[in-house]
Amino acid sequence: MKKWLIALASVFMAVSLAACSKTVATTKGGKITESAYYSSLKSTSSGKQVLQQMILNKVLEKDYGSKVSKKTVTKQYNAYKTEYGTSFKSVLTQNGMTASSFRQEIRSNLLLKEAVKDNATITNADLKKEWKTYEPKVTVAQILVSKKSTAETVIKKLKKGESFTKLAKQYSTDSSTKNKGGKLSAFDDTNTSLDSSFTKAAFALKEGEYTTTPVKTTYGYQVIKMLDYPSKGKISDHTKALKERIWTADMSSSSKLKAVVAKVLKKGNVSIKDSDLKNVLSDYLSSSSSSSK
C-alpha cells in the first residue's frame, strides 16, 4: 500500500483549500486557520506527494476512467478481503486506511496499469523472452501442520494409499481449506502471496504427485499434491497472458512507471496555480523532456 495513502486521510482536505481562512483549531495561544495549515502543509514532502497523486489521479480518470469499472475494483477488493480474512480490518488500520481509501488505491493502481498498457510497446522478442519462464496456472492441494514429524506421518499414510482429502480434514491446521481436501485457488509463477518455498516445491511436481518430504514454509510444514498441471501449449495460445505478465512487471519497475507518469502528465495540460508549488511535478516533467530529446 503506497505511502502517500497513509498520509492521505490527514491531508486530503488541506490540499484543496481555497483562499478562505476557516478555523481548524483553537488554543489558548490563538487559533489555527485553514490557510495557515495549508501554507505549512504545502512546504512538506508528504503534502507535495499527495498533491502529485491527486493531480495524477485527475488526469488518469480523464484518460482511462471508462476502462476501469466499479465492478473490477470491487472484485479486486473482495479478493484482498478474502485473502486476509478476519485480519483484513486490522491490516487496513495498521496502514492508516479505511475501506473507502483502500478502494481508491485499487482504482488508482488499475488506472495506472491502463496507462502502462497504453504506453508500452511489446515486441515478439519480449513475448518470447517472457515465454521462457512462463508457467500456466496450476491447482494444488495442501496439508498444513506445525511439526515436521506430523508432516512425515501424513506422508507415510499417503504412501500406504490413504486419501489426501481425508488426511487434510484430519491433520491440516488451515481451517479455510481442510474441509475442501486442502485445495487452493489456481496460481502461476507470478504469485507473490504464497511462500516461495511452497511454489517451488509445487511446480516441481507432476500431476497426481505429492511431496515426499515436508516442505518448510513461513506457515509451518506443508505436504503438497498437484491436482491440475495444464500443458504449457504454444506461445500463440498465451499471448494475452504473456502481455499481462509484462505489464505487471512494468508496474513494479520504478523507472518504467516514472516514464509513463511523465507522459501522462505531459499530455494532461496541468497548470499549477500556486507559485510555491510550481515545481511540484518537475521531477516527472523534466524526465519527460529528457526522454523526448
Side-chain angles (χ1 to χ4, degrees):
M1 298 181 180
K2 295 182 176 63
K3 292 181 179 178
W4 60 265
L5 277 164
I6 299 174
L8 186 58
S10 62
V11 299
F12 178 83
M13 294 197 61
V15 176
S16 60
L17 290 177
C20 61
S21 278
K22 292 182 179 178
T23 300
V24 176
T26 59
T27 74
K28 64 180 182 180
K31 64 182 180 180
I32 299 173
T33 64
E34 285 180 339
S35 59
Y37 177 42
Y38 171 70
S39 295
S40 175
L41 180 68
K42 70 180 182 181
S43 64
T44 66
S45 59
S46 59
K48 290 175 181 177
Q49 287 169 8
V50 172
L51 180 56
Q52 289 170 349
Q53 190 64 49
M54 292 178 72
I55 292 171
L56 179 59
N57 280 350
K58 286 287 187 182
V59 178
L60 288 174
E61 279 289 355
K62 177 65 176 176
D63 292 344
Y64 305 105
S66 61
K67 295 184 178 182
V68 179
S69 67
K70 185 177 180 181
K71 183 178 179 181
T72 303
V73 173
T74 298
K75 182 179 179 180
Q76 197 168 111
Y77 175 88
N78 287 338
Y80 280 112
K81 192 173 181 181
T82 299
E83 179 182 342
Y84 286 103
T86 55
S87 63
F88 181 66
K89 287 186 178 180
S90 63
V91 170
L92 289 181
T93 302
Q94 289 165 15
N95 285 276
M97 301 179 69
T98 63
S100 178
S101 63
F102 183 46
R103 282 179 180 274
Q104 181 56 52
E105 181 204 8
I106 292 173
R107 182 167 183 82
S108 295
N109 282 341
L110 290 173
L111 289 170
L112 185 56
K113 187 171 184 179
E114 288 298 327
V116 167
K117 291 163 67 173
D118 191 36
N119 287 278
T121 300
I122 298 177
T123 65
N124 286 332
D126 294 328
L127 292 175
K128 289 178 180 178
K129 182 180 179 181
E130 193 65 33
W131 177 247
K132 290 180 180 179
T133 58
Y134 174 76
E135 291 285 358
K137 283 192 173 184
V138 300
T139 304
V140 305
Q142 56 92 33
I143 298 172
L144 173 65
V145 294
S146 59
K147 295 181 179 180
K148 183 178 181 180
S149 58
T150 307
E152 290 171 337
T153 297
V154 169
I155 292 170
K156 286 179 182 178
K157 288 178 178 289
L158 286 171
K159 288 181 177 180
K160 289 180 180 179
E162 292 195 33
S163 164
F164 194 97
T165 300
K166 178 183 175 182
L167 292 172
K169 189 172 184 179
Q170 181 181 352
Y171 285 98
S172 185
T173 59
D174 184 355
S175 59
S176 64
T177 65
K178 64 181 299 178
N179 292 323
K180 298 185 293 183
K183 185 177 179 181
L184 298 175
S185 299
F187 61 90
D188 60 23
D189 57 307
T190 64
N191 186 287
T192 56
S193 62
L194 294 171
D195 188 288
S196 59
S197 297
F198 180 93
T199 54
K200 183 179 180 181
F203 282 115
L205 297 170
K206 292 180 181 178
E207 197 167 297
E209 290 183 340
Y210 57 84
T211 50
T212 53
T213 56
V215 179
K216 178 71 172 72
T217 69
T218 54
Y219 306 106
Y221 291 90
Q222 290 170 278
V223 181
I224 309 165
K225 182 178 181 180
M226 179 61 69
L227 301 179
D228 182 33
Y229 202 146
S231 170
K232 190 171 180 178
K234 300 180 295 182
I235 186 172
S236 57
D237 297 329
H238 302 281
T239 301
K240 183 178 179 181
L242 294 174
K243 286 183 176 180
E244 282 290 341
R245 287 162 65 96
I246 293 171
W247 290 326
T248 298
D250 287 350
M251 287 288 289
S252 299
S253 169
S254 58
S255 60
K256 290 186 178 181
L257 277 184
K258 188 174 182 180
V260 169
V261 168
K263 289 181 180 180
V264 170
L265 292 175
K266 193 73 174 180
K267 295 185 293 185
N269 297 324
V270 180
S271 177
I272 306 299
K273 303 301 183 182
D274 189 318
S275 59
D276 293 332
L277 293 166
K278 62 182 180 181
N279 295 320
V280 73
L281 300 177
S282 59
D283 286 347
Y284 295 105
L285 299 183
S286 60
S287 65
S288 175
S289 299
S290 299
S291 298
S292 64
K293 289 179 183 179

